[in-house]
């Protein structure tokens, strides 16, 4: 028996599940090219292994091919052209176009509304997402002006749907792309990940979700002799069994006695951070942890059975608490895109039979709809303008106690700050060259709040300003709130003072004014007869 195996059998602490997890590749988002060059483990871990079993051909029956998917998108565009448009964000390694469907009552026109994106099929061998997203698009088209939720989403948001991010992997029936790279460990340099990153630089998204087939939980079992154990798929119907040496793990490559069971993944809504600071499996909260947990619950509680998970309380999990990954899309969205993204495990099987897709759609439909509607029905929304020009300002919105900011748009000055409801927040609008303004709000449950800011240029500092210009529990319909009230009050005082000065001036100069008046209008004297 191998000495290493003896050590592992009698000293189980010599190995941990951490050795099976990806080595840190990109620290919560991305590495610079120089850092990548200095970190050979990043390149090794983002490339996948060729020895994983292939998806049987019969399992793919009933799923749309890439050509059929492209045709379905074109047919949808023709059927629902009044509330949609299709556009490309780039191409895959093998040149397949990455098509996006935008659904809105004003598609292609920028509005002061939240934007949401769904991404499917990031992993080529997890095709459920691409099928569900086409069903979602068609459902919205068929139910617009019939169903209140469909109508709300179409009229009050811009929904962008990328059915497949990895069409090459789907064709190859592998997790990675045509370069054998796991796109969810890759941000930032594969054609598909570059396309998504450029997309986010052009389009401002409030929130997002990517749909996956499963994120398998890994269990490690040690056996003295593989041949004598006789384990197989038929003995473990919920698991697939692979010899550890076929997985290419450097620490175990020579030990055929090990078995790694990749069990069917749980249904769960996963939120940031996906990576921990020191690569340990631990809860690693991002600044907006409360908001992300609320967002994940919106999906889980709307799902038919996700919230009933035995493994994950409520059907939600922090990514690093489950197992850390690096170079992932979810963390990159939050850090670099100002976008709140979830990773959704919507099927406990990577490639379920096609006749199960309709059931999966029914189980996930309300979750998908409510997640988009969440960006409309809750959170803090408003505009930021200049007091001197009334022009929109791309200012930052900062919540006291949360180390994160959301920026308003340049065109409309609108912002959409998602927050956990039923809490009090101190909100500040800030921009270089302008005086910051703050107010305290109470965000109610299931009710969005509208809060606009009017910022004064710094050159007006000499004028009288209130230190805290307004503080209100604002009505959603109130546009400029008390900020405009005080601004209007200042204007009234100014006009009244000007009128009083004008009257005083008239009293002092009354004789001169009378002489001028008499000179211009001399009294007419009747002639003597």
């Amino acid at each position: 028996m191998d000495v290493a195996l003896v050590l592992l059998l009698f000293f189980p602490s010599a190995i941990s599940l951490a050795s099976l997890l990806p080595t840190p590749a990109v620290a919560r988002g991305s590495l610079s090219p120089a850092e990548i060059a200095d970190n050979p483990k990043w390149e090794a871990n983002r490339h996948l292994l060729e020895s994983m079993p292939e998806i049987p051909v019969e399992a793919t029956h009933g799923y749309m091919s890439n050509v059929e998917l492209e045709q379905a998108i074109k047919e949808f565009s023709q059927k629902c052209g009044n509330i949609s448009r299709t556009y490309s964000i780039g191409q895959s390694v093998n040149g397949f176009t990455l098509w996006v469907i935008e659904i809105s009552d004003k598609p292609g026109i920028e509005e002061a509304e939240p934007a949401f994106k769904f991404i499917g099929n990031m992993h080529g061998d997890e095709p459920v997402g691409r099928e569900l997203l086409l069903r979602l698009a068609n459902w919205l088209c068929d139910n617009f002006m019939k169903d209140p939720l469909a109508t709300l989403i179409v009229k009050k948001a811009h929904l962008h749907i990328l059915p497949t991010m990895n069409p090459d992997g789907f064709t190859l029936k592998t997790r990675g792309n045509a370069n054998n790279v796991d796109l969810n460990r890759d941000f930032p340099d594969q054609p598909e990940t570059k396309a998504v990153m450029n997309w986010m630089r052009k389009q401002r998204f409030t929130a997002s979700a990517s749909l996956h087939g499963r994120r398998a939980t890994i269990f490690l079992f040690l056996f003295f002799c593989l041949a004598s154990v006789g384990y197989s798929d038929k003995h473990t119907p919920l698991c697939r069994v692979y010899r550890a040496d076929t997985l290419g793990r450097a620490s175990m490559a020579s030990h055929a006695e090990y078995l790694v069971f990749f069990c069917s993944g749980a249904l769960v809504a996963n939120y940031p951070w996906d990576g921990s600071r020191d690569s340990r499996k631990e809860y690693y909260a991002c600044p907006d942890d409360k908001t992300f947990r609320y967002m994940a619950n919106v999906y889980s509680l709307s799902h038919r059975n996700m919230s009933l998970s035995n493994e994950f309380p409520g059907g939600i999990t922090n990514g690093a608490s489950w197992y850390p990954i690096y170079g992932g899309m979810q963390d990159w969205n939050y850090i670099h895109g100002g976008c709140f993204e979830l990773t959704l495990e919507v099927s406990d099987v990577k490639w379920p039979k096609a006749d199960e897709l309709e059931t999966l759609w029914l189980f996930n439909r309300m979750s998908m709809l409510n997640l988009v509607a969440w960006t409309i029905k809750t959170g803090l929304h408003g505009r930021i303008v200049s007091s001197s020009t009334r022009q929109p300002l791309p200012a930052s919105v900062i919540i006291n106690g949360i180390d994160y900011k959301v920026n308003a748009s340049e065109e409309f000055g609108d912002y959409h700050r998602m927050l956990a409801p039923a809490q009090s927040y101190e909100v500040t609008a800030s921009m270089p060259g302008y005086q910051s303004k703050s107010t305290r709000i109470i965000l109610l449950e299931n009710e969005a709040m509208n809060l606009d800011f009017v910022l004064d240029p710094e050159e007006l500092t000499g004028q009288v300003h209130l230190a805290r210009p307004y503080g209100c529990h604002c009505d959603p319909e109130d546009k400029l709130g008390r900020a405009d009230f005080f601004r209007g009050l200042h204007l009234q005082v100014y006009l009244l003072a000007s009128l009083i000065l004008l009257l005083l001036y008239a009293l002092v100069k009354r004789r001169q004014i009378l002489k001028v008046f008499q000179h211009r209008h001399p009294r007419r004297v009747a002639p003597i007869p």
Side-chain angles (χ1 to χ4, degrees):
M1 184 182 297
D2 195 304
V3 174
L5 179 59
V6 174
L7 290 173
L8 290 171
L9 284 172
F10 289 96
F11 301 97
S13 60
I15 187 170
S16 69
L17 290 180
S19 65
L20 296 176
L21 299 175
T23 305
V26 183
R28 295 205 310 273
S30 61
L31 286 176
S32 68
E35 290 172 316
I36 291 173
D38 294 336
N39 189 355
K41 293 183 179 180
W42 184 86
E43 185 68 23
N45 282 276
R46 59 199 279 273
H47 279 272
L48 295 166
L49 307 161
E50 299 289 355
S51 54
M52 298 296 283
E54 293 185 0
I55 304 296
V57 175
E58 57 270 17
T60 67
H61 293 165
Y63 284 83
M64 290 181 288
S65 67
N66 286 333
V67 173
E68 291 169 337
L69 175 65
E70 188 173 53
Q71 182 60 33
I73 292 173
K74 292 178 180 179
E75 291 175 358
F76 172 84
S77 180
Q78 294 173 357
K79 180 178 78 169
C80 302
N82 59 320
I83 60 166
S84 72
R85 72 175 177 117
T86 58
Y87 63 97
S88 167
I89 62 168
Q91 292 185 330
S92 66
V93 172
N94 288 339
F96 189 86
T97 301
L98 303 178
W99 291 108
V100 175
I101 299 170
E102 180 187 4
I103 298 176
S104 168
D105 60 341
K106 296 180 181 178
I109 300 176
E110 187 173 352
E111 296 184 275
E113 296 179 349
F116 191 101
K117 64 178 167 69
F118 274 119
I119 295 178
N121 201 201
M122 185 181 197
H123 292 138
D125 58 354
E126 298 174 8
V128 173
R130 56 194 271 154
E131 298 283 342
L132 297 190
L133 291 178
L134 256 294
R135 282 171 165 81
L136 174 65
N138 280 287
W139 188 90
L140 288 170
C141 176
D142 296 338
N143 289 277
F144 176 55
M145 300 305 291
K146 299 176 184 176
D147 181 271
L149 195 53
T151 304
L152 175 72
I153 290 172
V154 174
K155 285 190 172 183
K156 298 297 183 180
H158 284 253
L159 174 60
H160 300 253
I161 296 173
L162 174 61
T164 177
M165 181 180 169
N166 188 3
D168 298 344
F170 174 83
T171 299
L172 298 169
K173 298 187 287 293
T174 60
R175 180 181 179 89
N177 67 351
N179 289 334
N180 197 34
V181 172
D182 186 336
L183 298 181
N184 206 28
R185 311 291 190 277
D186 172 67
F187 277 73
D189 70 350
Q190 289 296 298
E192 297 88 350
T193 50
K194 284 183 177 180
V196 171
M197 293 163 68
N198 291 333
W199 182 25
M200 293 192 63
R201 293 186 181 103
K202 298 175 183 177
Q203 173 68 50
R204 204 167 53 102
F205 290 104
T206 303
S208 173
S210 63
L211 277 61
H212 294 249
R214 71 173 181 177
R215 190 175 179 180
T217 303
I218 304 175
F219 296 95
L220 176 66
F221 295 87
L222 306 180
F223 293 94
F224 172 70
C225 179
L226 179 62
S228 65
V229 173
Y231 273 76
S232 66
D233 281 344
K234 66 180 181 180
H235 292 100
T236 53
L238 295 180
C239 300
R240 293 190 179 276
V241 186
Y242 306 109
R243 294 163 61 110
D245 60 343
T246 68
L247 297 177
R249 303 290 182 183
S251 62
M252 302 176 61
S254 61
H255 308 303
E257 291 85 356
Y258 290 92
L259 295 180
V260 178
F261 285 61
F262 285 82
C263 294
S264 296
L267 300 174
V268 67
N270 179 94
Y271 56 89
W273 295 121
D274 256 343
S276 60
R277 179 173 298 173
D278 53 7
S279 307
R280 288 188 300 175
K281 178 183 173 182
E282 61 181 352
Y283 195 110
Y284 203 64
C286 73
D288 277 291
D289 186 66
K290 288 183 179 180
T291 301
F292 271 109
R293 281 191 278 120
Y294 185 86
M295 180 183 180
N297 273 311
V298 168
Y299 197 93
S300 178
L301 294 175
S302 301
H303 192 276
R304 188 69 61 89
N305 56 5
M306 184 179 286
S307 63
L308 305 178
S309 170
N310 291 323
E311 182 179 1
F312 304 104
I316 68 173
T317 185
N318 172 265
S321 178
W322 189 357
Y323 62 85
I325 69 168
Y326 299 83
M329 183 167 65
Q330 178 176 269
D331 288 2
W332 192 93
N333 267 264
Y334 183 63
I335 296 171
H336 300 288
C339 177
F340 287 55
E341 176 162 297
L342 297 179
T343 302
L344 303 172
E345 307 297 331
V346 298
S347 169
D348 57 4
V349 179
K350 274 182 175 288
W351 207 306
K353 294 180 180 179
D355 58 10
E356 298 176 17
L357 290 173
E358 188 62 25
T359 300
L360 289 170
W361 159 242
L362 294 176
F363 277 30
N364 286 277
R365 184 183 67 191
M366 285 307 302
S367 294
M368 297 167 75
L369 294 170
N370 284 337
L371 192 59
V372 181
W374 168 74
T375 64
I376 306 168
K377 292 182 174 181
T378 63
L380 191 61
H381 309 264
R383 296 189 184 189
I384 306 174
V385 299
S386 168
S387 64
S388 59
T389 64
R390 289 289 168 169
Q391 294 299 308
L393 297 176
S396 299
V397 177
I398 303 166
I399 307 299
N400 185 35
I402 299 179
D403 186 18
Y404 191 77
K405 66 181 181 179
V406 170
N407 295 326
S409 72
E410 294 187 6
E411 184 169 354
F412 298 107
D414 64 305
Y415 70 91
H416 308 278
R417 182 49 161 110
M418 306 314 299
L419 293 165
Q423 296 192 44
S424 173
Y425 298 97
E426 183 176 342
V427 188
T428 299
S430 175
M431 182 173 174
Y434 288 82
Q435 300 175 60
S436 299
K437 288 188 177 180
S438 301
T439 187
R440 181 164 289 278
I441 64 165
I442 295 178
L443 196 59
L444 302 179
E445 189 80 35
N446 298 322
E447 183 177 327
M449 176 177 287
N450 194 90
L451 179 65
D452 294 340
F453 288 92
V454 180
L455 300 186
D456 297 324
E458 287 183 344
E459 59 264 24
L460 300 180
T461 306
Q463 299 181 10
V464 178
H465 292 281
L466 297 178
R468 195 173 285 248
Y470 57 97
C472 61
H473 307 317
C474 300
D475 186 281
E477 300 299 324
D478 180 23
K479 289 298 180 185
L480 294 178
R482 295 191 185 180
D484 269 1
F485 169 76
F486 284 113
R487 189 170 306 286
L489 185 60
H490 291 164
L491 180 61
Q492 294 174 23
V493 172
Y494 174 80
L495 293 175
L496 181 60
S498 299
L499 182 60
I500 292 173
L501 289 174
L502 184 61
L503 290 174
L504 290 174
Y505 178 84
L507 288 174
V508 173
K509 300 292 185 179
R510 63 183 182 279
R511 291 184 179 180
Q512 295 180 5
I513 294 173
L514 288 174
K515 287 181 180 180
V516 171
F517 180 83
Q518 291 173 356
H519 177 73
R520 292 186 176 181
H521 304 280
R523 182 182 300 171
R524 297 190 178 218
V525 181
I528 299 175

